[in-house]
Amino acid sequence: MSFIMASHFTTPKKPLTWLITGCSSGFGLSLARIVQANGHNLIATSREPSNTPNLISEIEAKGGKWLKLDVNDPSCDGVIEELEAQGQPVDVLVSNAGFCIYNVAENFTDKEVRDLMETLYFGPSRLIRAAVRHQRQRRFGVIVNISSGAALEANPSMGAYAAGKGALDCMAKALAKEVEAFNIRVLTVLLGTFNTGMGNATILGRNPLPEDYRGSMSERIMDMMSKGRFAPNGDKDKAMKAVYEVIVGEGAGKHHEAERLLPLGRDLAARIQTVQDYLAHAMQIFGEICNNVHLEVN
């Protein structure tokens, strides 16, 4: 299957309506502000709007709308249907809401894994399916998933988080090929470590770390995150400016409107190289057998 991008992607010359999840802080809030500063229509969402009244006032004072949206709600896709019925077509859907629970893979509870998958995969998937149905009829739309280097190369203690991000990334790859004929673009944003405050909201798994893992990389990462020693590499506002430009085809995104993957962060670049080396090594060792397990043609 070829990964050659579509030759063109047509964006209407008008303000676009953006729906962004997880706008109470971090990437979501940064992108929301950039979207408004550039004259677009913004629908910001968060799980508990009552916790951020000042942000709601800021967004609404500039003509935006702030909605309560819990992506874990099985009926969260109803927000898309309501907006469309009200004459507010969602041109750009940005799935950004997320969180991480840290523990070694054998130690997660079912509930912890399911909660992560709801937020990182099932919730965004519901919103995407609803948005694409309408975008297909209009022959225009942009689906944006804020992903992570964890989906490429999961660090110890982040297996469940990586599984959720990786699941959405793989769905996006298929979706992009399915909908490009309808002038719908699917963009995955792979991010390294940024100053989003993620280190201040660390959640450790409920099961204590087994003694065998004492002194391991898993324990060191969990300790670093839980004690606030996390040192991000990137500037979230610079990253979201790049995301905005690539979505609208300006600045860094000019002439790259059909691209499907946007990597951001110096530390991410190193992780991409690690994955490339990992695959190259596998082919170096097993390439011959890889190419010699075919059916023999008589």
Side-chain angles (χ1 to χ4, degrees):
M1 180 66 69
S2 172
F3 283 89
I4 295 174
M5 305 304 171
S7 59
H8 67 279
F9 178 79
T10 304
T11 302
K13 301 298 182 183
K14 65 174 184 178
L16 303 177
T17 297
W18 301 54
L19 189 154
I20 306 173
T21 68
C23 288
S24 59
S25 63
F27 293 126
L29 179 59
S30 176
L31 182 59
R33 286 170 169 162
I34 293 170
V35 165
Q36 282 199 303
N38 283 275
H40 296 278
N41 305 315
L42 172 67
I43 301 166
T45 75
S46 62
R47 182 176 295 186
E48 295 294 343
S50 60
N51 292 341
T52 56
N54 292 340
L55 295 181
I56 294 173
S57 297
E58 173 193 336
I59 295 299
E60 293 185 342
K62 297 176 182 177
K65 179 183 291 189
W66 196 298
L67 301 178
K68 178 180 176 65
L69 177 63
D70 182 354
V71 298
N72 287 25
D73 185 339
S75 60
C76 67
D77 53 336
V79 69
I80 302 286
E81 303 303 337
E82 291 176 12
L83 289 167
E84 293 281 350
Q86 295 166 5
Q88 286 190 287
V90 176
D91 298 309
V92 183
L93 171 64
V94 182
S95 292
N96 165 72
F99 72 103
C100 180
I101 301 176
Y102 297 83
N103 211 333
V104 292
E106 69 174 77
N107 224 26
F108 283 101
T109 67
D110 264 7
K111 184 178 187 307
E112 288 169 342
V113 175
R114 290 180 184 278
D115 286 349
L116 276 170
M117 292 301 292
E118 278 292 341
T119 300
L120 302 177
Y121 176 71
F122 288 109
S125 177
R126 284 188 286 266
L127 293 172
I128 289 168
R129 293 196 303 269
V132 164
R133 292 183 192 114
H134 293 281
Q135 292 176 347
R136 175 168 50 79
Q137 293 174 7
R138 290 191 293 270
R139 292 299 196 264
F140 171 72
V142 186
I143 301 296
V144 183
N145 297 328
I146 303 299
S147 188
S148 163
L152 287 179
E153 184 219 10
N155 280 325
S157 78
M158 297 181 68
Y161 176 81
K165 288 294 189 182
L168 192 64
D169 287 4
C170 285
M171 187 272 273
K173 290 175 185 177
L175 178 67
K177 297 167 188 173
E178 294 164 353
V179 301
E180 66 178 350
F182 311 125
N183 199 40
I184 298 174
R185 177 185 181 195
V186 181
L187 177 67
T188 295
V189 181
L190 276 179
L191 295 165
T193 57
F194 285 84
N195 58 337
T196 61
M198 184 177 180
N200 299 323
T202 299
I203 303 173
L204 298 182
R206 61 176 295 181
N207 289 330
L209 199 66
E211 190 65 30
D212 281 345
Y213 289 99
R214 298 301 174 189
S216 68
M217 180 60 74
S218 297
E219 184 186 48
R220 292 198 292 273
I221 290 175
M222 292 167 68
D223 184 69
M224 174 186 69
M225 297 302 297
S226 63
K227 293 182 179 178
R229 297 172 182 165
F230 172 69
N233 179 270
D235 183 320
K236 68 180 186 301
D237 296 323
K238 289 182 180 178
M240 291 304 102
K241 179 177 183 291
V243 170
Y244 171 81
E245 290 180 350
V246 171
I247 291 171
V248 300
E250 300 174 359
K254 191 173 184 180
H255 304 310
H256 300 303
E257 292 85 348
E259 294 298 321
R260 299 175 184 167
L261 182 66
L262 172 60
L264 293 171
R266 289 180 177 176
D267 55 314
L268 181 73
R271 295 178 78 176
I272 289 174
Q273 184 61 58
T274 297
V275 173
Q276 290 174 329
D277 293 344
Y278 170 78
L279 295 173
H281 175 79
M283 289 305 294
Q284 180 182 0
I285 301 300
F286 296 117
E288 183 175 356
I289 188 65
C290 175
N291 285 296
N292 284 284
V293 290
H294 54 276
L295 286 170
E296 297 292 343
V297 179
N298 294 327

